PDB file of all heavy atoms in Angstrom:
ATOM      1  N   ILE A   1       1.883 -10.949   6.320  1.00 86.00           N
ATOM      2  CA  ILE A   1       1.833  -9.879   7.316  1.00 86.00           C
ATOM      3  C   ILE A   1       3.059  -9.764   8.209  1.00 86.00           C
ATOM      4  O   ILE A   1       3.233  -8.729   8.862  1.00 86.00           O
ATOM      5  CB  ILE A   1       0.570 -10.010   8.202  1.00 86.00           C
ATOM      6  CG1 ILE A   1       0.557 -11.362   8.922  1.00 86.00           C
ATOM      7  CG2 ILE A   1      -0.683  -9.810   7.380  1.00 86.00           C
ATOM      8  CD1 ILE A   1      -0.668 -11.545   9.806  1.00 86.00           C
ATOM      9  N   VAL A   2       3.909 -10.784   8.274  1.00 89.00           N
ATOM     10  CA  VAL A   2       5.113 -10.697   9.115  1.00 89.00           C
ATOM     11  C   VAL A   2       6.355 -10.428   8.268  1.00 89.00           C
ATOM     12  O   VAL A   2       7.196  -9.596   8.625  1.00 89.00           O
ATOM     13  CB  VAL A   2       5.302 -11.985   9.947  1.00 89.00           C
ATOM     14  CG1 VAL A   2       6.586 -11.898  10.777  1.00 89.00           C
ATOM     15  CG2 VAL A   2       4.102 -12.211  10.854  1.00 89.00           C
ATOM     16  N   LEU A   3       6.469 -11.122   7.137  1.00 89.00           N
ATOM     17  CA  LEU A   3       7.657 -10.990   6.296  1.00 89.00           C
ATOM     18  C   LEU A   3       7.923  -9.548   5.844  1.00 89.00           C
ATOM     19  O   LEU A   3       9.079  -9.105   5.882  1.00 89.00           O
ATOM     20  CB  LEU A   3       7.535 -11.925   5.096  1.00 89.00           C
ATOM     21  CG  LEU A   3       8.816 -12.153   4.271  1.00 89.00           C
ATOM     22  CD1 LEU A   3       9.932 -12.694   5.154  1.00 89.00           C
ATOM     23  CD2 LEU A   3       8.534 -13.101   3.114  1.00 89.00           C
ATOM     24  N   PRO A   4       6.904  -8.765   5.429  1.00 88.00           N
ATOM     25  CA  PRO A   4       7.198  -7.370   5.072  1.00 88.00           C
ATOM     26  C   PRO A   4       7.787  -6.570   6.227  1.00 88.00           C
ATOM     27  O   PRO A   4       8.636  -5.695   6.006  1.00 88.00           O
ATOM     28  CB  PRO A   4       5.821  -6.823   4.652  1.00 88.00           C
ATOM     29  CG  PRO A   4       5.072  -8.022   4.181  1.00 88.00           C
ATOM     30  CD  PRO A   4       5.507  -9.126   5.092  1.00 88.00           C
ATOM     31  N   GLY A   5       7.359  -6.851   7.466  1.00 88.00           N
ATOM     32  CA  GLY A   5       7.926  -6.159   8.616  1.00 88.00           C
ATOM     33  C   GLY A   5       9.388  -6.502   8.830  1.00 88.00           C
ATOM     34  O   GLY A   5      10.208  -5.633   9.155  1.00 88.00           O
ATOM     35  N   ILE A   6       9.738  -7.786   8.646  1.00 90.00           N
ATOM     36  CA  ILE A   6      11.136  -8.190   8.777  1.00 90.00           C
ATOM     37  C   ILE A   6      11.968  -7.561   7.660  1.00 90.00           C
ATOM     38  O   ILE A   6      13.097  -7.098   7.888  1.00 90.00           O
ATOM     39  CB  ILE A   6      11.259  -9.722   8.751  1.00 90.00           C
ATOM     40  CG1 ILE A   6      10.459 -10.346   9.898  1.00 90.00           C
ATOM     41  CG2 ILE A   6      12.718 -10.140   8.845  1.00 90.00           C
ATOM     42  CD1 ILE A   6      10.439 -11.859   9.893  1.00 90.00           C
ATOM     43  N   ALA A   7      11.415  -7.531   6.443  1.00 88.00           N
ATOM     44  CA  ALA A   7      12.125  -6.910   5.321  1.00 88.00           C
ATOM     45  C   ALA A   7      12.409  -5.437   5.588  1.00 88.00           C
ATOM     46  O   ALA A   7      13.446  -4.903   5.164  1.00 88.00           O
ATOM     47  CB  ALA A   7      11.313  -7.074   4.041  1.00 88.00           C
ATOM     48  N   ALA A   8      11.514  -4.781   6.304  1.00 88.00           N
ATOM     49  CA  ALA A   8      11.704  -3.357   6.606  1.00 88.00           C
ATOM     50  C   ALA A   8      12.912  -3.116   7.496  1.00 88.00           C
ATOM     51  O   ALA A   8      13.457  -2.000   7.525  1.00 88.00           O
ATOM     52  CB  ALA A   8      10.438  -2.800   7.266  1.00 88.00           C
ATOM     53  N   VAL A   9      13.343  -4.136   8.231  1.00 84.00           N
ATOM     54  CA  VAL A   9      14.559  -3.995   9.049  1.00 84.00           C
ATOM     55  C   VAL A   9      15.749  -3.648   8.162  1.00 84.00           C
ATOM     56  O   VAL A   9      16.637  -2.882   8.550  1.00 84.00           O
ATOM     57  CB  VAL A   9      14.831  -5.306   9.836  1.00 84.00           C
ATOM     58  CG1 VAL A   9      16.165  -5.238  10.560  1.00 84.00           C
ATOM     59  CG2 VAL A   9      13.701  -5.578  10.798  1.00 84.00           C
ATOM     60  N   ILE A  10      15.764  -4.201   6.944  1.00 88.00           N
ATOM     61  CA  ILE A  10      16.854  -3.926   5.996  1.00 88.00           C
ATOM     62  C   ILE A  10      16.549  -2.708   5.142  1.00 88.00           C
ATOM     63  O   ILE A  10      17.415  -1.863   4.917  1.00 88.00           O
ATOM     64  CB  ILE A  10      17.090  -5.154   5.086  1.00 88.00           C
ATOM     65  CG1 ILE A  10      17.332  -6.403   5.920  1.00 88.00           C
ATOM     66  CG2 ILE A  10      18.242  -4.896   4.124  1.00 88.00           C
ATOM     67  CD1 ILE A  10      18.490  -6.318   6.883  1.00 88.00           C
ATOM     68  N   LEU A  11      15.318  -2.599   4.692  1.00 86.00           N
ATOM     69  CA  LEU A  11      14.969  -1.550   3.735  1.00 86.00           C
ATOM     70  C   LEU A  11      14.635  -0.211   4.395  1.00 86.00           C
ATOM     71  O   LEU A  11      14.726   0.834   3.743  1.00 86.00           O
ATOM     72  CB  LEU A  11      13.779  -2.013   2.878  1.00 86.00           C
ATOM     73  CG  LEU A  11      14.014  -3.264   2.030  1.00 86.00           C
ATOM     74  CD1 LEU A  11      12.729  -3.675   1.322  1.00 86.00           C
ATOM     75  CD2 LEU A  11      15.127  -3.026   1.018  1.00 86.00           C
ATOM     76  N   ALA A  12      14.235  -0.223   5.650  1.00 83.00           N
ATOM     77  CA  ALA A  12      13.885   1.019   6.362  1.00 83.00           C
ATOM     78  C   ALA A  12      14.280   0.879   7.828  1.00 83.00           C
ATOM     79  O   ALA A  12      13.422   0.766   8.702  1.00 83.00           O
ATOM     80  CB  ALA A  12      12.396   1.301   6.218  1.00 83.00           C
ATOM     81  N   PRO A  13      15.561   0.855   8.127  1.00 83.00           N
ATOM     82  CA  PRO A  13      16.017   0.548   9.487  1.00 83.00           C
ATOM     83  C   PRO A  13      15.776   1.640  10.523  1.00 83.00           C
ATOM     84  O   PRO A  13      15.958   1.391  11.718  1.00 83.00           O
ATOM     85  CB  PRO A  13      17.516   0.315   9.290  1.00 83.00           C
ATOM     86  CG  PRO A  13      17.869   1.129   8.082  1.00 83.00           C
ATOM     87  CD  PRO A  13      16.674   1.068   7.189  1.00 83.00           C
ATOM     88  N   ASP A  14      15.376   2.817  10.110  1.00 81.00           N
ATOM     89  CA  ASP A  14      15.273   3.940  11.046  1.00 81.00           C
ATOM     90  C   ASP A  14      13.834   4.424  11.247  1.00 81.00           C
ATOM     91  O   ASP A  14      13.589   5.626  11.415  1.00 81.00           O
ATOM     92  CB  ASP A  14      16.143   5.111  10.560  1.00 81.00           C
ATOM     93  CG  ASP A  14      17.603   4.719  10.457  1.00 81.00           C
ATOM     94  OD1 ASP A  14      18.097   4.039  11.378  1.00 81.00           O
ATOM     95  OD2 ASP A  14      18.243   5.085   9.449  1.00 81.00           O
ATOM     96  N   LEU A  15      12.880   3.527  11.254  1.00 80.00           N
ATOM     97  CA  LEU A  15      11.486   3.925  11.449  1.00 80.00           C
ATOM     98  C   LEU A  15      11.271   4.468  12.865  1.00 80.00           C
ATOM     99  O   LEU A  15      11.872   3.989  13.830  1.00 80.00           O
ATOM    100  CB  LEU A  15      10.556   2.732  11.226  1.00 80.00           C
ATOM    101  CG  LEU A  15      10.493   2.160   9.799  1.00 80.00           C
ATOM    102  CD1 LEU A  15       9.543   0.972   9.764  1.00 80.00           C
ATOM    103  CD2 LEU A  15      10.041   3.227   8.804  1.00 80.00           C
ATOM    104  N   ALA A  16      10.384   5.465  12.975  1.00 76.00           N
ATOM    105  CA  ALA A  16      10.092   6.041  14.284  1.00 76.00           C
ATOM    106  C   ALA A  16       9.318   5.058  15.157  1.00 76.00           C
ATOM    107  O   ALA A  16       9.533   4.970  16.377  1.00 76.00           O
ATOM    108  CB  ALA A  16       9.294   7.335  14.117  1.00 76.00           C
ATOM    109  N   LYS A  17       8.398   4.315  14.555  1.00 79.00           N
ATOM    110  CA  LYS A  17       7.600   3.314  15.264  1.00 79.00           C
ATOM    111  C   LYS A  17       7.557   2.029  14.451  1.00 79.00           C
ATOM    112  O   LYS A  17       7.468   2.083  13.216  1.00 79.00           O
ATOM    113  CB  LYS A  17       6.155   3.808  15.482  1.00 79.00           C
ATOM    114  CG  LYS A  17       5.966   4.761  16.640  1.00 79.00           C
ATOM    115  CD  LYS A  17       4.464   5.014  16.850  1.00 79.00           C
ATOM    116  CE  LYS A  17       4.206   5.836  18.092  1.00 79.00           C
ATOM    117  NZ  LYS A  17       2.751   5.981  18.363  1.00 79.00           N
ATOM    118  N   PRO A  18       7.596   0.875  15.115  1.00 82.00           N
ATOM    119  CA  PRO A  18       7.507  -0.393  14.371  1.00 82.00           C
ATOM    120  C   PRO A  18       6.247  -0.491  13.516  1.00 82.00           C
ATOM    121  O   PRO A  18       6.291  -1.078  12.427  1.00 82.00           O
ATOM    122  CB  PRO A  18       7.515  -1.445  15.485  1.00 82.00           C
ATOM    123  CG  PRO A  18       8.231  -0.815  16.616  1.00 82.00           C
ATOM    124  CD  PRO A  18       7.851   0.638  16.555  1.00 82.00           C
ATOM    125  N   ASP A  19       5.120   0.086  13.989  1.00 75.00           N
ATOM    126  CA  ASP A  19       3.873  -0.029  13.246  1.00 75.00           C
ATOM    127  C   ASP A  19       3.880   0.719  11.913  1.00 75.00           C
ATOM    128  O   ASP A  19       2.928   0.637  11.147  1.00 75.00           O
ATOM    129  CB  ASP A  19       2.699   0.466  14.101  1.00 75.00           C
ATOM    130  CG  ASP A  19       2.320  -0.532  15.184  1.00 75.00           C
ATOM    131  OD1 ASP A  19       2.714  -1.707  15.067  1.00 75.00           O
ATOM    132  OD2 ASP A  19       1.636  -0.138  16.156  1.00 75.00           O
ATOM    133  N   GLU A  20       4.973   1.455  11.627  1.00 79.00           N
ATOM    134  CA  GLU A  20       5.093   2.130  10.331  1.00 79.00           C
ATOM    135  C   GLU A  20       5.691   1.213   9.261  1.00 79.00           C
ATOM    136  O   GLU A  20       5.799   1.603   8.101  1.00 79.00           O
ATOM    137  CB  GLU A  20       5.980   3.376  10.471  1.00 79.00           C
ATOM    138  CG  GLU A  20       5.379   4.462  11.358  1.00 79.00           C
ATOM    139  CD  GLU A  20       6.313   5.657  11.509  1.00 79.00           C
ATOM    140  OE1 GLU A  20       7.410   5.625  10.907  1.00 79.00           O
ATOM    141  OE2 GLU A  20       5.953   6.594  12.227  1.00 79.00           O
ATOM    142  N   ALA A  21       6.064  -0.027   9.651  1.00 85.00           N
ATOM    143  CA  ALA A  21       6.796  -0.909   8.732  1.00 85.00           C
ATOM    144  C   ALA A  21       5.990  -1.235   7.480  1.00 85.00           C
ATOM    145  O   ALA A  21       6.486  -1.094   6.349  1.00 85.00           O
ATOM    146  CB  ALA A  21       7.206  -2.188   9.460  1.00 85.00           C
ATOM    147  N   TYR A  22       4.760  -1.708   7.646  1.00 83.00           N
ATOM    148  CA  TYR A  22       3.984  -2.148   6.484  1.00 83.00           C
ATOM    149  C   TYR A  22       3.654  -0.993   5.546  1.00 83.00           C
ATOM    150  O   TYR A  22       3.864  -1.119   4.322  1.00 83.00           O
ATOM    151  CB  TYR A  22       2.710  -2.857   6.942  1.00 83.00           C
ATOM    152  CG  TYR A  22       2.019  -3.628   5.834  1.00 83.00           C
ATOM    153  CD1 TYR A  22       2.380  -4.948   5.556  1.00 83.00           C
ATOM    154  CD2 TYR A  22       1.022  -3.049   5.060  1.00 83.00           C
ATOM    155  CE1 TYR A  22       1.767  -5.668   4.532  1.00 83.00           C
ATOM    156  CE2 TYR A  22       0.399  -3.753   4.035  1.00 83.00           C
ATOM    157  CZ  TYR A  22       0.778  -5.064   3.783  1.00 83.00           C
ATOM    158  OH  TYR A  22       0.178  -5.768   2.768  1.00 83.00           O
ATOM    159  N   PRO A  23       3.131   0.134   6.055  1.00 80.00           N
ATOM    160  CA  PRO A  23       2.870   1.248   5.131  1.00 80.00           C
ATOM    161  C   PRO A  23       4.134   1.709   4.405  1.00 80.00           C
ATOM    162  O   PRO A  23       4.071   2.094   3.234  1.00 80.00           O
ATOM    163  CB  PRO A  23       2.320   2.347   6.054  1.00 80.00           C
ATOM    164  CG  PRO A  23       1.745   1.612   7.214  1.00 80.00           C
ATOM    165  CD  PRO A  23       2.648   0.436   7.417  1.00 80.00           C
ATOM    166  N   THR A  24       5.288   1.655   5.098  1.00 81.00           N
ATOM    167  CA  THR A  24       6.540   2.062   4.459  1.00 81.00           C
ATOM    168  C   THR A  24       6.903   1.118   3.322  1.00 81.00           C
ATOM    169  O   THR A  24       7.384   1.544   2.262  1.00 81.00           O
ATOM    170  CB  THR A  24       7.673   2.102   5.497  1.00 81.00           C
ATOM    171  OG1 THR A  24       7.331   3.014   6.540  1.00 81.00           O
ATOM    172  CG2 THR A  24       8.979   2.555   4.853  1.00 81.00           C
ATOM    173  N   MET A  25       6.694  -0.172   3.506  1.00 84.00           N
ATOM    174  CA  MET A  25       7.002  -1.142   2.453  1.00 84.00           C
ATOM    175  C   MET A  25       6.093  -0.957   1.235  1.00 84.00           C
ATOM    176  O   MET A  25       6.468  -1.315   0.114  1.00 84.00           O
ATOM    177  CB  MET A  25       6.876  -2.568   2.985  1.00 84.00           C
ATOM    178  CG  MET A  25       7.935  -2.963   3.998  1.00 84.00           C
ATOM    179  SD  MET A  25       9.651  -2.845   3.374  1.00 84.00           S
ATOM    180  CE  MET A  25      10.120  -1.182   3.885  1.00 84.00           C
ATOM    181  N   MET A  26       4.926  -0.399   1.449  1.00 80.00           N
ATOM    182  CA  MET A  26       4.021  -0.166   0.324  1.00 80.00           C
ATOM    183  C   MET A  26       4.577   0.884  -0.636  1.00 80.00           C
ATOM    184  O   MET A  26       4.149   0.964  -1.787  1.00 80.00           O
ATOM    185  CB  MET A  26       2.640   0.244   0.834  1.00 80.00           C
ATOM    186  CG  MET A  26       1.895  -0.880   1.550  1.00 80.00           C
ATOM    187  SD  MET A  26       0.268  -0.390   2.181  1.00 80.00           S
ATOM    188  CE  MET A  26      -0.638  -0.159   0.654  1.00 80.00           C
ATOM    189  N   ARG A  27       5.545   1.672  -0.174  1.00 78.00           N
ATOM    190  CA  ARG A  27       6.134   2.687  -1.044  1.00 78.00           C
ATOM    191  C   ARG A  27       6.934   2.075  -2.190  1.00 78.00           C
ATOM    192  O   ARG A  27       7.267   2.775  -3.158  1.00 78.00           O
ATOM    193  CB  ARG A  27       7.044   3.603  -0.225  1.00 78.00           C
ATOM    194  CG  ARG A  27       6.302   4.433   0.807  1.00 78.00           C
ATOM    195  CD  ARG A  27       7.255   5.229   1.663  1.00 78.00           C
ATOM    196  NE  ARG A  27       6.542   5.962   2.711  1.00 78.00           N
ATOM    197  CZ  ARG A  27       7.130   6.608   3.704  1.00 78.00           C
ATOM    198  NH1 ARG A  27       8.448   6.621   3.790  1.00 78.00           N
ATOM    199  NH2 ARG A  27       6.409   7.236   4.613  1.00 78.00           N
ATOM    200  N   LEU A  28       7.259   0.796  -2.065  1.00 78.00           N
ATOM    201  CA  LEU A  28       7.997   0.120  -3.138  1.00 78.00           C
ATOM    202  C   LEU A  28       7.121  -0.162  -4.354  1.00 78.00           C
ATOM    203  O   LEU A  28       7.636  -0.475  -5.425  1.00 78.00           O
ATOM    204  CB  LEU A  28       8.578  -1.203  -2.623  1.00 78.00           C
ATOM    205  CG  LEU A  28       9.579  -1.135  -1.473  1.00 78.00           C
ATOM    206  CD1 LEU A  28       9.914  -2.534  -0.983  1.00 78.00           C
ATOM    207  CD2 LEU A  28      10.840  -0.400  -1.917  1.00 78.00           C
ATOM    208  N   LEU A  29       5.815  -0.061  -4.167  1.00 80.00           N
ATOM    209  CA  LEU A  29       4.892  -0.468  -5.225  1.00 80.00           C
ATOM    210  C   LEU A  29       4.751   0.609  -6.298  1.00 80.00           C
ATOM    211  O   LEU A  29       4.637   1.794  -5.989  1.00 80.00           O
ATOM    212  CB  LEU A  29       3.515  -0.763  -4.634  1.00 80.00           C
ATOM    213  CG  LEU A  29       3.452  -1.925  -3.639  1.00 80.00           C
ATOM    214  CD1 LEU A  29       2.114  -1.927  -2.919  1.00 80.00           C
ATOM    215  CD2 LEU A  29       3.660  -3.251  -4.350  1.00 80.00           C
ATOM    216  N   PRO A  30       4.723   0.208  -7.561  1.00 83.00           N
ATOM    217  CA  PRO A  30       4.477   1.164  -8.637  1.00 83.00           C
ATOM    218  C   PRO A  30       2.995   1.525  -8.700  1.00 83.00           C
ATOM    219  O   PRO A  30       2.148   0.822  -8.142  1.00 83.00           O
ATOM    220  CB  PRO A  30       4.906   0.384  -9.884  1.00 83.00           C
ATOM    221  CG  PRO A  30       4.664  -1.048  -9.530  1.00 83.00           C
ATOM    222  CD  PRO A  30       4.977  -1.156  -8.064  1.00 83.00           C
ATOM    223  N   PRO A  31       2.645   2.624  -9.374  1.00 83.00           N
ATOM    224  CA  PRO A  31       1.235   2.994  -9.526  1.00 83.00           C
ATOM    225  C   PRO A  31       0.434   1.846 -10.137  1.00 83.00           C
ATOM    226  O   PRO A  31       0.917   1.120 -10.992  1.00 83.00           O
ATOM    227  CB  PRO A  31       1.306   4.204 -10.463  1.00 83.00           C
ATOM    228  CG  PRO A  31       2.654   4.797 -10.212  1.00 83.00           C
ATOM    229  CD  PRO A  31       3.555   3.629  -9.961  1.00 83.00           C
ATOM    230  N   GLY A  32      -0.771   1.700  -9.708  1.00 81.00           N
ATOM    231  CA  GLY A  32      -1.610   0.594 -10.154  1.00 81.00           C
ATOM    232  C   GLY A  32      -1.546  -0.544  -9.165  1.00 81.00           C
ATOM    233  O   GLY A  32      -2.553  -0.898  -8.545  1.00 81.00           O
ATOM    234  N   LEU A  33      -0.342  -1.102  -8.961  1.00 82.00           N
ATOM    235  CA  LEU A  33      -0.171  -2.134  -7.944  1.00 82.00           C
ATOM    236  C   LEU A  33      -0.368  -1.556  -6.551  1.00 82.00           C
ATOM    237  O   LEU A  33      -0.908  -2.220  -5.665  1.00 82.00           O
ATOM    238  CB  LEU A  33       1.219  -2.777  -8.054  1.00 82.00           C
ATOM    239  CG  LEU A  33       1.389  -3.900  -9.068  1.00 82.00           C
ATOM    240  CD1 LEU A  33       2.806  -4.447  -9.024  1.00 82.00           C
ATOM    241  CD2 LEU A  33       0.380  -5.014  -8.802  1.00 82.00           C
ATOM    242  N   LEU A  34       0.089  -0.318  -6.357  1.00 83.00           N
ATOM    243  CA  LEU A  34      -0.131   0.331  -5.067  1.00 83.00           C
ATOM    244  C   LEU A  34      -1.625   0.435  -4.790  1.00 83.00           C
ATOM    245  O   LEU A  34      -2.084   0.168  -3.675  1.00 83.00           O
ATOM    246  CB  LEU A  34       0.501   1.720  -5.054  1.00 83.00           C
ATOM    247  CG  LEU A  34       0.230   2.569  -3.799  1.00 83.00           C
ATOM    248  CD1 LEU A  34       0.737   1.859  -2.550  1.00 83.00           C
ATOM    249  CD2 LEU A  34       0.879   3.947  -3.926  1.00 83.00           C
ATOM    250  N   GLY A  35      -2.409   0.797  -5.781  1.00 84.00           N
ATOM    251  CA  GLY A  35      -3.851   0.896  -5.599  1.00 84.00           C
ATOM    252  C   GLY A  35      -4.459  -0.446  -5.242  1.00 84.00           C
ATOM    253  O   GLY A  35      -5.344  -0.547  -4.387  1.00 84.00           O
TER     254      GLY A  35
END
């Protein structure tokens, strides 16, 4: 729960709100795994 948020600093540095970090990281998932 913390590491994906830190990773978002590199992968999504311009988020409007910090709480968008985890849902944004879920976009990396392919279909099936995302589900």
Side-chain angles (χ1 to χ4, degrees):
I1 59 180
V2 178
L3 193 57
I6 300 176
V9 173
I10 306 302
L11 299 175
D14 300 317
L15 294 179
K17 280 188 174 185
D19 285 342
E20 294 178 1
Y22 194 87
T24 301
M25 291 301 93
M26 291 179 69
R27 294 175 184 171
L28 299 173
L29 297 168
L33 276 181
L34 174 59

